[in-house]
């Protein structure tokens, strides 16, 4: 890692070589960095906060070996994707992924999203149902469940959301990037399950996430998604979003959630199935926190492949 302001970190730090190909794809007016492996029906992976595409580096080769085209993307504002000053509302983030599926030459995909990426995945399936063949969400309640719980469960989900509430503070991105983005490691440790956070894998992963957050503008862009989510609750823009999200999902949905998730509480996520009229499964993962794809990768891989093949 480099200087604490992050101005010496280049986005090339996320272009790690491996059994995959790096590409830049234009969609919805922006340029996205995608990493892909294999051929077959597409499985598209959406990372959470404070991550980037590397969240799925274990999944990509394994899903490719199982006969799929595995693609991980840096969401708008993260990693090596474009970092425009705006476009972090739910509508635009969903349109990014819809545009990306088309730009990659696919008619539909199985979409797998974790955390913030899971929220985007719910929204894509709701707004662009024909493009999402099957849906897998990890550590992500349906956006309307989360919104309701923040207001209705002050000692629970509201208290659990205090980390994200701090992101509302102007220029908080400078707090996030201070001391080589030490706060990124603190958030990963706070949200992760206890077995994972004491492992050697954790330190190496936290180091990569810290470095990626030091890419110029990445921290600001990461904050903007959270800022929109909270501010929109009091605006017409957000009211319209809520109304559109109330439309029942027609995509078969698998929801995996860590029993030790302190960022999105299991009791918040549990009621998400009420928004799905298609096939729906819920699975609570013992001893797992907010990052099931890293904390229980073999179990999650098996579930993703089962759902994608069924």
């Amino acid at each position: 890692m480099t200087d604490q302001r992050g101005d010496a970190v280049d986005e090339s730090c996320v272009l790690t070589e491996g059994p995959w190909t790096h590409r830049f794809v234009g969609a919805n007016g922006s340029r996205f960095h995608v990493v892909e492996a294999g051929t077959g029906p597409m499985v598209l992976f959406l990372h959470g906060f404070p991550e980037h595409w590397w969240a799925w580096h274990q999944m990509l080769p394994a899903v490719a070996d199982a006969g799929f085209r595995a693609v991980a993307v840096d969401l708008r504002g993260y990693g090596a994707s474009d970092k425009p000053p705006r476009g972090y509302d739910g509508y635009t983030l969903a349109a990014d992924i819809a545009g990306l599926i088309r730009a990659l030459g696919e008619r539909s995909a199985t979409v797998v999203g974790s955390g913030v990426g899971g929220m985007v995945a719910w929204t894509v399936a709701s707004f662009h149902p024909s493009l999402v063949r099957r849906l897998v969400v990890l550590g992500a309640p349906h956006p309307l469940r989360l919104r309701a719980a923040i207001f209705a469960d002050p000692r629970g989900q509201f208290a659990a959301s205090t980390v994200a509430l701090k992101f509302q503070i102007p220029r908080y991105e400078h707090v996030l990037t201070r001391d080589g983005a030490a706060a990124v490691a603190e958030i990963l440790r706070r949200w992760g399950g206890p077995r994972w956070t004491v492992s050697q894998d954790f330190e190496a992963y936290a180091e990569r996430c810290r470095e990626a957050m030091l890419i110029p503008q990445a921290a600001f862009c990461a904050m903007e998604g959270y800022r929109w989510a909270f501010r929109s609750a009091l605006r017409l823009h957000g009211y319209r979003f809520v109304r559109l999200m109330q439309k029942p999902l027609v995509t078969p949905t698998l929801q995996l959630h860590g029993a030790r998730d302190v960022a999105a509480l299991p009791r918040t996520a549990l009621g998400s199935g009420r928004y799905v009229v298609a096939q729906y499964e819920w699975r609570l993962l013992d001893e797992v926190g907010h990052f099931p794809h890293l904390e229980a990768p073999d179990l999650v891989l098996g579930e993703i492949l089962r759902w994608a093949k069924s």
Side-chain angles (χ1 to χ4, degrees), residues 72-83:
V73 59
D74 280 333
L75 297 177
R76 169 184 293 255
Y78 288 84
S81 288
D82 276 357
K83 297 167 185 65

Side-chain angles (χ1 to χ4, degrees), residues 138-213:
L138 299 87
H142 186 279
L144 299 191
R145 275 294 301 149
L146 181 62
R147 187 176 286 236
I150 285 171
F151 292 108
D153 187 6
R155 291 187 178 180
Q157 190 57 57
F158 181 83
S161 301
T162 50
V163 171
L165 282 167
K166 287 179 184 173
F167 299 164
Q168 304 303 305
I169 300 169
R171 301 175 70 80
Y172 192 82
E173 53 271 18
H174 298 295
V175 177
L176 197 66
T177 54
R178 192 183 296 153
D179 300 325
V184 167
E186 289 167 21
I187 291 168
L188 287 167
R189 187 173 283 108
R190 179 170 175 173
W191 288 355
R195 282 189 312 198
W196 178 56
T197 55
V198 298
S199 70
Q200 283 184 314
D201 289 346
F202 174 80
E203 294 302 334
Y205 187 72
E207 185 76 11
R208 283 187 178 269
C209 290
R210 289 173 67 183
E211 188 173 35
M213 198 60 77

Side-chain angles (χ1 to χ4, degrees), residues 3-22:
D3 101 8
Q4 355 188 92
R5 290 168 305 164
D7 51 9
V9 171
D10 186 78
E11 63 181 29
S12 62
C13 71
V14 303
L15 305 181
T16 310
E17 291 187 9
W20 44 64
T21 305
H22 293 274

Side-chain angles (χ1 to χ4, degrees), residues 236-291:
L236 189 63
H237 194 57
Y239 175 71
R240 184 169 151 256
F241 180 79
V242 167
R243 285 193 59 189
L244 288 170
M245 285 298 295
Q246 285 171 344
K247 192 173 80 173
L249 254 71
V250 294
T251 304
T253 302
L254 171 64
Q255 189 170 8
L256 307 174
H257 209 90
R260 304 285 290 266
D261 192 334
V262 298
L265 301 184
R267 69 182 189 233
T268 299
L270 188 57
S272 301
R274 74 177 66 164
Y275 296 102
V276 185
V277 291
Q279 181 188 1
Y280 171 81
E281 284 186 26
W282 158 269
R283 183 166 180 188
L284 194 63
L285 310 179
D286 292 337
E287 298 303 310
V288 169
H290 189 57
F291 306 98

